[in-house]
Amino acid sequence: MSKILISILSTIDNQERLDSIYDKFEAEGFQVEIFSDEVNYAFQLTSLVDIVSYLKEQERYSDGIHRISVLSNIRPLLFSWYRCYNTLAQDFIYFDDEYSNHYSSNLQHRSFIEQLSEFNNIDYEDMIDKIFVSINTMSNLTDFLIQNHRFIFFDLIENFDYNNTPSKHKDSKNYYYNKLEYQFNFTDNNNSQNIFITEKQIQDITINSEWIALLKDNAYFALYAIFYIYKMDIAQSLKDSTLT
C-alpha cells in the first residue's frame, strides 16, 4: 500500500524550500501528488474530498493507500480541512508562504471558513494530531499561534514522523454557524460531533502558570513565544517613551 503527499497550492514564492520538503517525503517513500491553481481560485472547502477520491481511483494506487498527508499554502483551506476533514487524511502540513493570502476573498462560504480557520470553538471538538508547519522567527504565523493558545494544535515539520502512521477512526462533524448547518459525514453510524461556531475575540496574553504549562507541553514554540514577548516589551517601551 502507498503513502502519498497531496500538495494543494496557489502561487508559490519560495519554490526551493518547497522542493526540499518534497525531496524529504520522497526519500521516506511517499509519492508526491501536486495540484496547483495559481490564477483561477478553483480550490474550495470540498476540494480535498474530490482530490482524495480522484487519487484512489488511479491505477497507480490500485494496491490501496494507507497514509494520506496533505500540504497546502492556502491557509484558510488547510486550517479548515484540519478540522472538518480531520480523519480523511492522516497528516496536515502548512507551507507558510505569504503569497497565498489573496485566496480568501474567492472562497465560497467564506465567512464560515474564516471561523473554522481562526480555530473558533475548536476546544469543543475532537482533534487528532497536529498541523505541521515550517516557520521562521519573523513569520506572521507566530502572532496567530500565540493568540488564544493556538500553538497547542501545531508542531514543527522537523518533528514529523514519516514512519508511524497516526491512528484515526472515521468520524462525522456537524457545524452550526449563522443559523446554518454544515455537515461532514464519513460514517454510517449516528455518532457525530456537534460544534456551534461563534465569533471569538482575541484574548490578551496572560503569562501565568496555565500558559507556562501549555508552553512546556509544546516546547517547539518556546523560542517563538520568547521572541513575541520581546517584541511586545519593545513596543510597550516605545509607547511609554512617546507618552512621556
Side-chain angles (χ1 to χ4, degrees):
M1 298 182 72
S2 301
K3 300 187 294 184
I4 60 173
L5 173 67
I6 302 175
S7 182
I8 302 173
L9 306 168
S10 67
T11 306
I12 289 295
D13 178 45
N14 195 332
Q15 186 66 47
E16 183 177 354
R17 184 161 64 96
L18 181 60
D19 287 341
S20 69
I21 295 176
Y22 291 161
D23 291 343
K24 178 61 176 176
F25 271 84
E26 288 177 338
E28 295 290 344
F30 283 75
Q31 300 295 318
V32 177
E33 300 283 355
I34 302 173
F35 297 82
S36 181
D37 175 30
E38 297 186 359
V39 295
N40 296 321
Y41 312 111
F43 296 128
Q44 298 293 333
L45 186 61
T46 57
S47 294
L48 182 59
V49 175
D50 297 333
I51 290 172
V52 170
S53 297
Y54 165 77
L55 290 174
K56 286 182 176 180
E57 294 174 354
Q58 302 308 301
E59 179 64 27
R60 59 186 178 276
Y61 297 123
S62 59
D63 62 339
I65 301 171
H66 84 274
R67 184 171 186 177
I68 298 173
S69 302
V70 178
L71 178 149
S72 182
N73 68 326
I74 308 173
R75 176 167 154 176
L77 287 181
L78 194 281
F79 287 10
S80 296
W81 289 336
Y82 169 69
R83 295 185 66 176
C84 59
Y85 296 131
N86 185 263
T87 58
L88 180 65
Q90 280 69 45
D91 315 290
F92 293 86
I93 304 158
Y94 176 55
F95 182 70
D96 187 13
D97 190 285
E98 61 180 314
Y99 284 88
S100 65
N101 294 334
H102 60 274
Y103 220 97
S104 300
S105 59
N106 294 277
L107 291 172
Q108 301 171 11
H109 308 290
R110 177 183 173 184
S111 181
F112 173 61
I113 291 174
E114 286 178 349
Q115 300 303 315
L116 284 183
S117 61
E118 287 294 315
F119 285 18
N120 290 345
N121 300 99
I122 193 173
D123 296 331
Y124 298 99
E125 63 185 290
D126 295 334
M127 304 303 304
I128 303 173
D129 217 343
K130 301 186 177 187
I131 296 176
F132 292 90
V133 293
S134 176
I135 60 178
N136 57 59
T137 308
M138 299 299 293
S139 171
N140 292 329
L141 188 62
T142 305
D143 293 356
F144 173 85
L145 295 181
I146 204 166
Q147 293 165 352
N148 294 351
H149 303 160
R150 296 187 186 106
F151 60 84
I152 68 174
F153 298 104
F154 292 78
D155 200 350
L156 295 180
I157 195 169
E158 288 81 1
N159 297 327
F160 188 90
D161 190 338
Y162 297 89
N163 298 313
N164 296 314
T165 303
S167 177
K168 293 187 176 182
H169 301 285
K170 299 295 184 183
D171 66 2
S172 298
K173 294 185 178 182
N174 302 321
Y175 295 92
Y176 299 88
Y177 171 69
N178 198 23
K179 299 181 179 180
L180 295 174
E181 180 180 1
Y182 298 84
Q183 296 182 341
F184 301 88
N185 297 321
F186 295 103
T187 62
D188 295 328
N189 59 47
N190 295 323
N191 296 326
S192 62
Q193 299 178 54
N194 296 317
I195 304 101
F196 295 85
I197 301 293
T198 57
E199 296 187 14
K200 192 173 183 180
Q201 299 298 318
I202 300 298
Q203 301 173 356
D204 292 335
I205 298 172
T206 302
I207 302 177
N208 52 25
S209 58
E210 178 187 1
W211 191 85
I212 293 174
L214 289 174
L215 198 59
K216 286 182 178 180
D217 290 338
N218 297 271
Y220 83 94
F221 194 67
L223 177 62
Y224 305 101
I226 292 171
F227 184 80
Y228 184 90
I229 294 169
Y230 178 70
K231 287 196 304 180
M232 288 175 54
D233 289 342
I234 291 177
Q236 186 61 48
S237 296
L238 291 174
K239 181 179 179 181
D240 293 339
S241 63
T242 302
L243 292 176
T244 56

